[in-house]
Every structure is written in structure tokens, then in C-alpha cells.
Amino acid sequence: MKVVSTRAELAEARSVLTGRVAVVMTMGALHDGHVELIRRARAEADSVVVTVFLNPLQFAAGEDLARYPRRLEADAALSERAGADLLFAPLPAEVYREEPLVRVSAGPLGDVLEGASRPGHFDGVLTVVLKLMHLVRPDVAYFGQKDAQQLASIRRMVFDLDVPVEVVAVPTVREPEGLALSSRNGYLTPEQRASALVLSRALATGDVAAGRKLIDTEPDVELDYLERVDSTTFELRPDGDLLVVAARVGTTRLIDNALLEDA
Ligand code: PAF
């Protein structure tokens, strides 16, 4: 696996990749959820590019950009083992040569739920995803179902802006007890990790009221939202096909979701 960090090196390494090219975009601190994305890409495409870029544009002041785990060497080893051909790990100044004056707007999808709690977050995500799509020029991009609102926003951007990239969603990878894998799980103490299990249990009830009631029983978990939504628009709907949850456990914000079979 080749590791590059500049646009010029990426362009050169990309030019020799053959066949259908897949990209897996990450912010680093790779875990088994990312490994699953890379493996799926490896199985379904001819060449696999992984990007590791901690995107400052999607973090608001006071969020965890400064403490977000950085471990490029381990990320490179995991990517290579999972089957990546090329790793692009640029610094912010390589991606944002100047402060971007023009950004992608997530529209209404960026204003609700995760977007309401993190204003501007999805604009920052879409801006970097589009830039990385232009730089990597993939045929297909793999994203985790765990970040369901991000996935819906990316799908909508690709549709609205005619981006010639197929978007594939990969099911959430969970710990045996149900906690969805996330790079932020590393912030949790063992006690908080145990408390956080209530989130997947709440989703498993398949019901907003029952799920909220269950989360209320866990004093260390502060619920932000648990709602039933349409998985493409993120509008709240009693007949929506997706249950989404966000909560704070200590200082760590966790999100999770479950597709509903009765929808
Ligand atoms: O899901 C993530 O890790 C990030 O939001 C992404 C898609 C890599 C954009 O920075």
C-alpha cells in the first residue's frame, strides 16, 4: 500500500490505479467499522483508496477537534491489512489551500437533529466529501450506516449536484453487547461504556416512547433526541423507517440508529 500526503502525489498514485476505484473516507482513529468499509470496498471494487483527514470544517468551536485521536501509523497498518491500495493522509493546508469562501450547503438536512445540535456540521462534511471526491476521482464511495444523517446528506448531494460517484451504505459494526463502534468510544470510561449500552437497547425497542423511557433510567446518559424519521429526508414521521438517537455520556456525544422493519 502506498501512503501519500500531497495532491500531486495523490494524482500520480491515482493515475496508475486500474478498474473500478473505491474510496473509504475517514478521519483516522480507525476501528473495525472502518475495516469493514475497506473490506467491502476491496471485495467489490478493483482498487481501494482510503483517506485519513481530520476535517476542521466539520467541528464547531468547543467540539473535540483538539482531542480527537490521531494515530496515522496504526491507521495505515489497519488499512493495508484490510486491503487498501493507497492511503491519502493530507494536512489541512493541503486540502484547504485558502479558507474556503464557497462551501456545500446541506440544506434542510443540515438543520435538523444532528444538524440542529451541531450547526454547520453537515456543510463542513459535504464540503470535504465533495473535495475528496474531486481529488480521488472514485467510481464508488463506501460510508457507514452508523452516521445515517451524514449518509443521507451525502446521497442527496451526489443526486442534487450530479456527482458521478455511487454511494454504498455499510451496516453498523457493533461490540458484542450492542454498542456501535465509533472513534469517540475511546473517550468513555468503563462505567460510561456500560451506561452507553442503553442506546442500542433503546433502539431495539423500536419505539420512541419506550426507548426514551429506557434511557431515562440511566442517570449517566443525557438524551439529546430519540426520534423516528424518514431515512432519506430526516423529517420526523410516525411511520418513518429509521429510529435515531443521540446522547451525551459524560462529555462524549454518541449517536446511533436502527432501521425499522415495520415501516
Ligand atoms: O464520517 C467521517 O469520518 C467524516 O465525517 C468524513 C465522511 C470522513 C468526512 O470528514
Side-chain angles (χ1 to χ4, degrees), residues 203 205-208 228-229 237-243 258-263:
L203 292 174
T205 66
D207 180 75
V208 170
R228 189 165 178 161
V229 299
R237 294 185 67 99
D239 62 346
D241 59 340
L242 190 73
L243 211 49
L259 282 160
L260 296 170
E261 267 147 33
D262 67 342

Side-chain angles (χ1 to χ4, degrees), residues 106 109 126 150-162 167 232-233:
L109 263 166
L126 294 187
Q150 166 173 289
L151 176 67
S153 309
I154 293 170
R155 282 196 193 285
R156 189 69 207 199
M157 173 183 75
V158 162
F159 176 77
D160 282 342
L161 303 185
D162 296 307
V167 172
T232 58
T233 61

